Amino acid sequence: MKTMKYVPLLALVALAACSIDPKDYESTPVTIETAAGPVVCQLYTREIVRWDRAIQRPESMSVETADKICYNEGLRQKNGSNAAETPSAPEPML
């Protein structure tokens, strides 16, 4: 019965060894040309497109719009499409 008290500790150690750090899955950043200017995207693996995000964007573009462009680029690559989709126009300044 002594070994049974170590099972939770071993499980914790095994779990800690697993990496959930997005940096472990980063690819080389890609640049997407838009009407407002270039958007630099940090893409991850093709299976983890929900992490794809903009790391640089034109000042006239919102973070949400830039992130959406990067997410769409991740989906495009995941689906194996060769043609880049035309990104949506930037949001108007209010």
Side-chain angles (χ1 to χ4, degrees):
M1 279 291 149
K2 277 188 164 182
T3 59
M4 291 302 283
K5 71 179 186 178
Y6 294 112
V7 171
L9 179 61
L10 290 174
L12 181 62
V13 169
L15 183 60
C18 297
S19 174
I20 308 176
D21 186 1
K23 285 203 170 286
D24 294 337
Y25 302 96
E26 289 179 351
S27 66
T28 303
V30 297
T31 301
I32 307 297
E33 293 297 330
T34 70
V39 175
V40 180
C41 300
Q42 178 59 70
L43 303 180
Y44 296 86
T45 68
R46 291 183 184 207
E47 292 78 32
I48 310 177
V49 296
R50 69 176 168 215
W51 288 349
D52 296 348
R53 62 187 173 81
I55 55 176
Q56 192 173 357
R57 62 183 169 79
E59 285 186 29
S60 62
M61 185 180 292
S62 72
V63 172
E64 293 81 12
T65 298
D67 285 346
K68 181 71 172 172
I69 289 168
C70 294
Y71 177 80
N72 287 339
E73 176 63 14
L75 285 177
R76 184 190 69 76
Q77 289 187 16
K78 178 180 180 179
N79 295 330
S81 174
N82 290 330
E85 293 180 22
T86 304
S88 59
E91 297 174 354
M93 301 273 298
L94 297 176

